[in-house]
Amino acid sequence: MPQSLQIDSDSKIQTQPNDILAFRSKAESSNQPQTLLGLDYGVKKMGMALGNTLTHDARPFDILAMNNGQPADWDNLLGIIQTWKIGSVIVGLPLNMDGSRSMLAKRAHKFARRLAHRLMEQRIPVPVMLYDERLTSREAREMAWELGLINNERDPIDDIAACLLLQSYLRHPEHAQDIATIKD
């Protein structure tokens, strides 16, 4: 089970101040509807999905080429975040079934930190969250087969997995961890 954040009686997250948290805008703490970007992290490719906090829905968006776990084109990813006016980025954390961190989970965590740092450098005030994504790829493949979205075992389903990740996040946002509050 993912670790929850500590919330006080005023529903404010208790965190330690740091550069990333200090950078955040006031809009983040408001109850305004947000467009979310879900990322199903992978070493060769990363699925992307868009979600909405008002309608509580998500849809597959695209698959981004990765170069050994890093976006082949960081500017493209940052441009998507700006163009779509993303309010939060949710990065899937592929934990082992017992909840321990797999090697891929460690790489996803490192990617999320780099993304948060690049957003801060570009003065784009968007929080990056980690969210448990165990079995989303398997569930996405099964769903894609059943719906006829894929015809071959090798057909990509990364964007569908990202969509499932966002749907899970929208049901239980309290299980997300803001990358800025995680101490290594």
Side-chain angles (χ1 to χ4, degrees):
M1 195 69 163
Q3 188 177 12
S4 297
L5 297 173
Q6 297 263 328
I7 300 176
D8 69 14
S9 60
D10 294 328
S11 299
K12 293 183 181 168
I13 299 173
Q14 298 296 309
T15 60
Q16 297 294 324
N18 66 31
D19 291 344
I20 295 172
L21 286 175
F23 172 67
R24 298 281 162 72
S25 69
K26 292 179 184 176
E28 177 189 333
S29 62
S30 73
N31 290 336
Q32 296 295 317
Q34 289 186 348
T35 300
L36 307 174
L37 178 64
L39 301 176
D40 180 51
Y41 176 82
V43 177
K44 294 181 181 179
K45 56 191 171 185
M46 181 166 59
M48 298 189 290
L50 294 173
N52 186 293
T53 59
L54 179 64
T55 60
H56 280 258
D57 67 348
R59 65 180 175 89
F61 178 64
D62 202 356
I63 298 175
L64 186 68
M66 300 289 276
N67 183 6
N68 195 24
Q70 297 302 312
D73 184 356
W74 275 101
D75 290 336
N76 182 33
L77 179 57
L78 296 174
I80 288 168
I81 292 169
Q82 287 184 299
T83 300
W84 286 89
K85 297 180 178 24
I86 299 300
S88 295
V89 177
I90 314 304
V91 177
L93 190 63
L95 299 172
N96 292 320
M97 290 309 294
D98 65 0
S100 63
R101 288 201 171 192
S102 65
M103 184 56 70
L104 191 58
K106 291 174 184 173
R107 291 186 76 172
H109 183 236
K110 187 174 183 178
F111 162 76
R113 280 210 179 281
R114 285 182 177 164
L115 176 57
H117 181 75
R118 285 183 183 251
L119 289 167
M120 186 178 70
E121 283 181 334
Q122 297 291 317
R123 305 239 180 266
I124 304 170
V126 175
V128 177
M129 313 292 280
L130 289 173
Y131 195 84
D132 182 357
E133 66 150 295
R134 278 179 270 189
L135 300 177
T136 56
S137 292
R138 180 178 294 168
E139 186 180 346
R141 184 155 311 281
E142 289 173 7
M143 180 187 298
W145 272 110
E146 289 174 13
L147 296 174
L149 300 174
I150 59 173
N151 300 316
N152 183 315
E153 285 184 21
R154 295 176 120 12
D155 288 346
I157 47 86
D158 307 86
D159 54 343
I160 299 169
C163 184
L164 294 175
L165 164 73
L166 267 187
Q167 288 174 335
S168 181
Y169 169 80
L170 286 164
R171 283 191 303 273
H172 299 287
E174 70 275 7
H175 294 297
Q177 294 180 292
D178 189 326
I179 194 72
T181 66
I182 300 172
K183 292 188 172 58
D184 290 326

